[in-house]
Amino acid sequence: MQDRDGAKSILLDLYLRTRVRFVYADAGFAGRLLEWANTILRTSVEVVRKPA
């Protein structure tokens, strides 16, 4: 399973246990996951990119 495919279940489980509101992730998680986390979980996912 790819990391981004498992991210929803991990974030949902984390949300139900601790009410996490802010998460850092690498560039592999950019895209629809960010919108889903914000809309469904009310959690912000900040994508951290490598420095140039």
Side-chain angles (χ1 to χ4, degrees):
M1 176 183 284
Q2 292 289 326
D3 289 347
R4 89 178 83 184
D5 296 335
K8 283 186 180 180
S9 61
I10 297 296
L11 286 174
L12 180 58
D13 184 57
L14 191 61
Y15 173 81
L16 293 173
R17 293 175 188 258
T18 63
R19 305 290 193 234
V20 168
R21 296 291 183 228
F22 194 81
V23 175
Y24 287 106
D26 66 21
F29 293 96
R32 294 187 317 205
L33 177 69
L34 306 181
E35 293 175 28
W36 176 84
N38 191 27
T39 303
I40 304 300
L41 304 179
R42 306 276 188 233
T43 299
S44 296
V45 177
E46 179 73 24
V47 174
V48 179
R49 302 197 190 286
K50 291 181 182 179

